[in-house]
Amino acid sequence: MGERLNGYMGRLAEVNLSSGCVKEDILDEATVKKWVGGAGLGAKILLEEVPPGIEWDSPENRLVFTAGPLAGTMMFGSGTFNVATKGPMTNLAGVSQANGYFGAYLRLSGFDGLVLRGRSEEWVTLWIHDGRVEIRPAAGLLGLDAWETEDAVRAELGAGERDVSVFAIGPAGEHGVRYAAIVGDRGHVASKNGVGAVMGAKRVKAIVVSRGSFEVPVYDPHALRLANLECFEAAKAFGTTWKWGTGGGFSNLARSGALPVKNYTTSLYPEHESMNGQTLRTKFEVRSMPCFRCAISHVKEVTVTEGPYAGFTGEEPEYEQLAAWGPQIGNTDLGATVMLTREVDRLGLDCNEASWAIGWAMECFEKGVFTLSETDGLDLSWGSVESVRTLLGRIARREGFLGGLLAEGVMRASRKVGGAAEQWAIYTMKGYTPRGHDHRGGGRWPELFDTCVSDTGTIQAAWSGIHPQFVDQPPLEDVFDHAEVSRVVGDFAGYRTFDDCLGICRLAAPHPKPLLACFNAVTGWDWTLRDAREAGLRVITALRLFNLRHGHDPKNERPSARYGSVPVDGPAEGRDIMSRWEEMRSDYYRRMGFDPKTGIPTAETLKRLGLEAYAPNAG
């Protein structure tokens, strides 16, 4: 075992898939105090081990699974883990989190993380148990979807539902779909920047972690217990998620113009009340499927009780899945969202990118750019859910013209088609798509801006809005004030990235102050909010340095034409975020300690964060 540090198991498992060699890397106090865990350790490994010129599907790329110091403790929702890699959507860094049990079980099996190098000659699974990693053949699992893979692996090991945590790729990962996800524990997903495609490129079908008997060392269990209860009360006060799920805010978003409706062609969705979390939980049958030690228990299994999909059972759609398979594709059948949510998870696709791609294709079909010839006979009229179901399967297996085209993601697909259709696609110029909102309205300008300037492959400062008042900063008074938007994104950046280092579900711990108290109780470090933010800024800046090395041009930190367009109706009609975009971006750079013109971190910033050795001109 490694050094016994409070909050840490003290070691990483390193697997060279090319040679089949497994070894350990010891984590020392200096490393964890600098990088914390989770997204921080992932960023460190990418920056130090993946040089420029290494492509996302190269054996020399890294795929890094890391938990954090809170994972596997008594904290509610402490099963979260982080995946870091160079991803295929951007050819830049990507970090993505998932909940469930994996992060906790990884620690209870004796490890803070798992680093995958090389590429296996044959398909394999990895089994982590009793403080070691075992490589097992997986040829018999090929072609199975993610849920079927879970079932097969559990049966092979003779393991019960909560004896092991299984995260796998589906057909999308096997076929190199650029937005393939890693899916496990019956519907939990690490989905951003194609982490599942990288796992497929390494020929790893699944990673299985047993619930071990190791214990996470905690500095002050009593203080942790009290702070954990504070987190729980803050989570209940934060919103209605604990009662109605993340879909509980669906109608409020509709009223504010923040639902993505028919690929941003309108901001109006009058059917919202029949599609929200309240309707879902009162009309359909639900039962709790909580994550590791979760008291919020917002994750449910749902059985459709009416309509054409009556009797269909799947995981309850989160808000973003309701948005993806409801308004974005012009669907008004709530049962169909349950069906499509399970389909996407089983196939191993990122629901956001899949829905933006299909919504764009539906607009192309409506406007005559695609005909039945290009769609291989599919009617892609708005609301055609069975056609969407078929198309998802074709995308996951790269079947047919449209399946192969959309498997590349909406940016590449739209550029290949060209013409007017290219202007209808929703994405950031870096190559990934936004989360499931119409960020042009509903007070979502900070999330639009954050999505475009982020270095993580998704949002980094925003989450369910942005909350500067949580850390005693002035609140955002005018959601359509350009200067205010860049201020809150720049000044709040770092706090949520620190969250992503800890191994905790944000729904269980949305408030930075009690969460920091939990962190201090586990580690005994007595950090302040400023310390926490500095740790988050270090991770963001490290990822930016990695991205700059790998060809990122900060000029691409802007939205596509449609993503940054002016709404034609709804509450945000006529509002134009792009009118002062360059000014906003320069202000953000300045607040982050980057050069206001180039977006490159300054020497002073690198020195403050202890990143001088990684400076663009160092070495």
Side-chain angles (χ1 to χ4, degrees):
M1 289 293 294
E3 183 180 350
R4 295 292 286 181
L5 301 169
N6 288 314
Y8 296 91
M9 310 313 293
R11 60 180 184 157
L12 300 175
E14 300 185 358
V15 180
N16 187 319
L17 295 161
S18 298
S19 66
C21 177
V22 179
K23 67 174 187 175
E24 293 181 10
D25 186 23
I26 303 302
L27 286 177
D28 58 28
E29 185 174 16
T31 297
V32 296
K33 279 200 167 182
K34 185 170 184 176
W35 299 102
V36 182
L41 285 177
K44 172 188 183 294
I45 292 167
L46 290 185
L47 187 58
E48 293 180 349
E49 299 188 17
V50 183
I54 299 299
E55 296 300 320
W56 69 268
D57 56 353
S58 167
E60 296 307 309
N61 192 11
R62 302 292 190 257
L63 185 62
V64 186
F65 296 77
T66 42
L70 304 185
T73 68
M74 70 174 71
M75 278 200 72
F76 301 141
S78 57
T80 303
F81 68 100
N82 181 86
V83 184
T85 194
K86 180 176 182 178
M89 295 303 297
T90 62
N91 283 316
L92 305 173
V95 293
S96 187
Q97 295 77 43
N99 297 319
Y101 289 76
F102 188 96
Y105 285 13
L106 183 63
R107 303 251 285 164
L108 299 179
S109 290
F111 296 102
D112 292 303
L114 170 71
V115 183
L116 303 186
R117 297 178 167 87
R119 174 188 292 136
S120 176
E121 290 187 8
E122 306 293 337
W123 283 90
V124 297
T125 62
L126 304 179
W127 182 24
I128 303 172
H129 64 103
D130 301 317
R132 60 196 182 95
V133 182
E134 186 176 327
I135 303 174
R136 300 165 66 94
L141 302 175
L142 293 187
L144 299 183
D145 68 34
W147 286 29
E148 290 169 339
T149 302
E150 275 198 62
D151 290 338
V153 168
R154 292 179 198 281
E156 181 182 343
L157 296 177
E161 187 74 14
R162 292 292 171 251
D163 294 334
V164 295
S165 173
V166 183
F167 271 75
I169 58 172
E174 292 182 25
H175 290 86
V177 176
R178 283 186 182 266
Y179 46 100
I182 304 172
V183 182
D185 293 344
R186 296 287 185 259
H188 296 281
V189 182
S191 64
K192 298 307 172 190
N193 210 356
V195 291
V198 177
M199 189 159 153
K202 293 189 174 298
R203 296 197 179 100
V204 176
K205 177 64 175 175
I207 302 175
V208 189
V209 188
S210 294
R211 181 169 187 161
S213 57
F214 291 86
E215 292 185 3
V216 180
V218 173
Y219 175 76
D220 189 339
H222 177 67
L224 176 59
R225 188 174 295 107
L226 295 178
N228 187 31
L229 291 175
E230 277 194 71
C231 283
F232 177 66
E233 293 302 322
K236 288 199 299 182
F238 183 71
T240 62
T241 296
W242 63 275
K243 184 176 182 180
W244 299 118
T246 56
F250 189 87
S251 286
N252 287 337
L253 289 167
R255 297 184 188 101
S256 71
L259 286 187
V261 186
K262 294 183 178 179
N263 207 42
Y264 282 17
T265 57
T266 177
S267 298
L268 306 177
Y269 189 67
E271 303 87 355
H272 60 85
E273 288 189 355
S274 65
M275 296 287 286
N276 62 24
Q278 290 85 340
T279 297
L280 190 150
R281 289 198 176 182
T282 53
K283 286 199 170 186
F284 295 167
E285 295 176 1
V286 297
R287 71 183 185 98
S288 290
M289 300 284 287
C291 298
F292 183 79
R293 292 181 180 164
C294 184
I296 296 295
S297 192
H298 92 281
V299 177
K300 309 291 184 185
E301 181 184 78
V302 59
T303 300
V304 180
T305 57
E306 59 184 51
Y309 298 97
F312 193 97
T313 298
E315 186 176 351
E316 177 188 46
E318 300 281 2
Y319 159 75
E320 291 190 19
Q321 294 160 328
L322 288 175
W325 309 121
Q328 167 61 3
I329 63 167
N331 168 44
T332 57
D333 180 353
L334 186 58
T337 68
V338 178
M339 179 273 291
L340 290 173
T341 293
R342 195 176 82 167
E343 196 74 11
V344 167
D345 285 353
R346 283 179 171 271
L347 293 168
L349 292 164
D350 172 20
C351 87
N352 289 142
E353 185 78 35
S355 70
W356 295 121
I358 291 177
W360 170 77
M362 294 176 106
E363 184 175 351
C364 288
F365 187 79
E366 178 187 45
K367 294 178 177 177
V369 174
F370 291 159
T371 67
L372 292 174
S373 176
E374 285 80 16
T375 67
D376 296 309
L378 288 181
D379 177 3
L380 288 186
S381 301
W382 296 113
S384 301
V385 294
E386 281 301 318
S387 291
V388 170
R389 183 182 198 174
T390 300
L391 182 54
L392 286 168
R394 292 179 181 176
I395 292 170
R397 298 174 178 88
R398 290 185 173 268
E399 295 173 345
F401 166 76
L402 197 56
L405 179 71
L406 298 185
E408 291 294 296
V410 69
M411 182 186 76
R412 291 173 175 82
S414 64
R415 290 178 177 178
K416 184 172 183 179
V417 172
E422 185 175 348
Q423 303 302 306
W424 306 334
I426 296 169
Y427 58 91
T428 70
M429 301 302 283
K430 290 180 182 177
Y432 56 86
T433 52
R435 309 301 283 250
H437 302 91
D438 186 337
H439 288 155
R440 305 169 305 167
R444 294 282 169 169
W445 273 20
E447 196 162 340
L448 193 162
F449 184 68
D450 184 43
T451 300
C452 292
V453 299
S454 167
D455 284 288
T456 66
T458 183
I459 52 175
Q460 67 186 19
W463 171 75
S464 192
I466 199 161
H467 313 99
Q469 64 275 19
F470 282 4
V471 293
D472 305 319
Q473 294 177 2
L476 175 62
E477 298 289 353
D478 183 353
V479 297
F480 296 116
D481 185 306
H482 297 78
E484 280 285 282
V485 168
S486 60
R487 172 186 69 81
V488 297
V489 173
D491 289 354
F492 194 72
Y495 289 108
R496 294 305 185 193
T497 307
F498 174 70
D499 294 356
D500 292 337
C501 297
L502 301 182
I504 191 73
C505 172
R506 198 169 287 161
L507 288 170
H511 200 300
K513 289 182 178 179
L515 178 58
L516 180 61
C518 291
F519 172 77
N520 285 331
V522 169
T523 61
W525 291 355
D526 197 28
W527 276 20
T528 64
L529 281 174
R530 180 178 179 179
D531 295 326
R533 182 171 186 247
E534 284 285 280
L537 290 175
R538 181 176 297 111
V539 177
I540 292 170
T541 305
L543 291 170
R544 175 158 288 251
L545 290 173
F546 178 91
N547 291 338
L548 290 166
R549 285 183 184 179
H550 287 255
H552 167 55
D553 184 348
K555 292 179 181 178
N556 286 330
E557 291 181 328
R558 58 187 299 112
S560 67
R562 175 65 64 81
Y563 186 24
S565 63
V566 178
V568 298
D569 54 25
E573 180 180 355
R575 299 284 192 172
D576 183 7
I577 192 173
M578 299 307 298
S579 63
R580 293 175 61 187
W581 187 268
E582 301 302 326
E583 181 181 331
M584 292 168 65
R585 192 168 58 185
S586 292
D587 182 56
Y588 168 79
Y589 289 161
R590 179 180 60 80
R591 293 175 184 275
M592 292 294 289
F594 305 159
D595 183 280
K597 294 183 179 179
T598 66
I600 298 172
T602 66
E604 293 78 9
T605 296
L606 296 181
K607 182 177 181 180
R608 190 188 83 239
L609 297 175
L611 299 176
E612 308 100 309
Y614 309 106
N617 59 352

